[in-house]
Amino acid sequence: MTLRLPYGTYEPRPEPLAPAPHGAPLTSRRVYSAAHVVADPYADVSPDSPAAVDWDATLAFRRHLWSHGLGVAEAMDTAQRGMGLDWAGASELIRRSAAEAKAAGGAIACGVGTDQLPPGETTLPAVTAAYEEQLALVESTGARAVLMASRALAAAARGPEDYLAAYGHLLRQAAEPVILHWLGPMFDPALAGYWGSTDLDAATETLLEVIAAHPDKVDGVKVSLLDARREIELRRRLPKGVRCYTGDDFNYPELIAGDDHGFSHALLGIFDPLGPLAAEAVRTLDTGDAKTFRALLDPTVELSRHLFEPPTRFYKTGVVLLAWLAGHQSHFTMVGGLQSARSLPHLSKAYELADGLGLFPDPLLAEARMKTFLTLHGVDQ
């Protein structure tokens, strides 16, 4: 049971960690897993083609997350929104997943963006109208809306006042409180200078001004800056009743555990491969046992930091590899051909770290598939 990896040999773990499904919701924290999409491997498409999605496997993965009590964050960055999944595919994904959530009794929040706009220069009214169209769709499904950071808004806005105007307009007409979304440029370089400034202190003030003007329309804010100190400072300044959702895939255990002044809820891409283990950890936190929570989740940080290493936006490749190795899909193919975005050594290390954590329900299946993958890439077994 030894694998030859590009940088040496590895002996797989013989037994999985395998927490059993537990459909009851988590109580001490709101936890959403941002979920990936499964490509249709038989579709005759190119990287520039509209996304071809395997809907059965995609929705089955969401049922897997709900079965452990996690919420699903749908049609967001982890689902390759803007990196292979266009608005036509995202809108169908939102409709299908929201219907599945109702049937399963699972929590769901869906991304609202502006990606139906054509490439090139745009205007603030066009950006606002695009947001309105997507917000209306998400609200019609009964899902909670996540107002995603918009490349088009980042390009069209001339300063903080444009963000205040655009978000103020959207929040005034939102039927239910929404989650705001601050995605840093490490996840998407086109979002540099979001909230009207490359100075993160100034950007934070603009975000807080948006929230302060409409606290009844903001459920929370998702922070994905990979900066624990900045997230803690922000969450301490949020109005009462407005949640902080960590999107920090480097420091999530300490941020979710919290301190004497509060804690973060979670909306995380890393909880796609960590779903069952993450749910088990939060259940121990529900009982007040922060020590066991950290003992379960701290060892996963090495894997997460590896998957999200620069260029961070390509973390989806490792996430989908692990889903294939875990048996959640029958192939390692991604929309937009993104399976080629990470190197063989990177993906081999992802396998090694995930196997060491016991993340694969069937270690022999994961080993066999990894051997096939390595052989295909010239590493004879």
Side-chain angles (χ1 to χ4, degrees):
M1 290 183 64
T2 298
L3 273 76
R4 288 187 62 236
L5 302 176
Y7 46 79
T9 59
Y10 175 71
E11 185 173 330
R13 176 177 176 147
E15 298 293 336
L17 190 56
H22 193 312
L26 307 173
T27 57
S28 64
R29 306 288 189 272
R30 285 194 180 183
V31 181
Y32 292 97
S33 167
H36 74 281
V37 291
V38 182
D40 178 357
Y42 303 118
D44 185 9
V45 295
S46 72
D48 293 331
S49 302
V53 177
D54 180 337
W55 293 111
D56 289 342
T58 293
L59 297 175
F61 187 76
R62 280 128 184 86
R63 291 192 294 270
H64 154 72
L65 295 172
W66 287 319
S67 76
H68 288 275
L70 297 167
V72 168
E74 188 56 277
M76 297 190 65
D77 184 60
T78 305
Q80 294 181 242
R81 190 79 179 267
M83 289 185 68
L85 186 70
D86 58 12
W87 171 236
S91 60
E92 184 170 1
L93 179 63
I94 289 166
R95 292 188 187 96
R96 288 175 178 258
S97 291
E100 287 286 332
K102 289 179 182 178
I108 188 168
C110 297
V112 170
T114 63
D115 46 333
Q116 73 271 50
L117 292 172
E121 291 188 12
T122 188
T123 64
L124 286 173
V127 171
T128 304
Y131 264 131
E132 288 176 323
E133 177 188 355
Q134 295 198 16
L135 178 61
L137 171 65
V138 170
E139 289 187 335
S140 73
T141 69
R144 185 174 298 281
V146 182
L147 292 187
M148 299 171 65
S150 162
R151 294 173 180 172
L153 180 55
R158 294 295 173 261
E161 64 281 356
D162 287 339
Y163 289 89
L164 293 170
Y167 278 93
H169 178 81
L170 294 166
L171 291 173
R172 282 190 294 272
Q173 64 180 288
E176 299 290 339
V178 307
I179 298 173
L180 300 181
H181 184 211
W182 189 359
L183 193 69
M186 67 288 293
F187 289 94
D188 187 342
L191 297 177
Y194 212 74
W195 304 110
S197 178
T198 55
D199 181 332
L200 293 183
D201 291 334
T204 298
E205 295 304 320
T206 302
L207 171 61
L208 288 169
E209 190 174 345
V210 168
I211 296 169
H214 309 277
D216 59 322
K217 290 295 186 75
V218 180
D219 170 85
V221 56
K222 176 190 185 295
V223 187
S224 297
L225 299 176
L226 305 183
D227 184 333
R229 177 194 60 80
R230 186 169 294 279
E231 179 175 322
I232 291 169
E233 291 175 353
L234 172 62
R235 81 183 182 202
R236 290 179 180 178
R237 297 180 62 190
L238 292 174
K240 185 177 180 180
V242 176
R243 300 173 179 85
C244 181
Y245 291 91
T246 187
D248 188 332
D249 301 278
F250 282 7
N251 304 292
Y252 51 93
E254 65 179 277
L255 291 165
I256 297 170
D259 54 31
D260 293 340
H261 300 282
F263 56 83
S264 295
H265 299 269
L267 198 164
L268 286 162
I270 191 57
F271 281 5
D272 179 305
L274 292 183
L277 179 56
E280 182 183 25
V282 176
R283 286 189 201 287
T284 67
L285 201 55
D286 292 347
T287 70
D289 187 354
K291 183 177 180 180
T292 301
F293 167 81
R294 294 295 298 267
L296 286 169
L297 218 51
D298 282 357
T300 68
V301 171
E302 184 181 4
L303 170 64
S304 189
R305 286 178 175 254
H306 176 72
L307 293 179
F308 285 79
E309 71 182 15
T312 300
R313 63 189 181 279
F314 295 129
Y315 74 88
K316 298 96 164 170
T317 302
V319 165
V320 173
L321 174 81
L322 298 184
W324 173 54
L325 296 177
H328 294 299
Q329 55 193 80
S330 62
H331 58 87
F332 179 43
T333 304
M334 299 176 67
V335 298
L338 208 64
Q339 67 271 12
S340 65
R342 289 292 202 188
S343 70
L344 181 63
H346 175 92
L347 296 175
S348 298
K349 186 66 174 180
Y351 161 75
E352 182 180 345
L353 292 171
D355 181 75
L357 291 168
L359 294 186
F360 301 129
D362 184 344
L364 292 178
L365 173 66
E367 178 195 356
R369 288 185 168 183
M370 194 64 195
K371 282 184 174 180
T372 298
F373 178 73
L374 290 163
T375 301
L376 177 65
H377 287 81
V379 184
D380 293 333
Q381 299 300 305

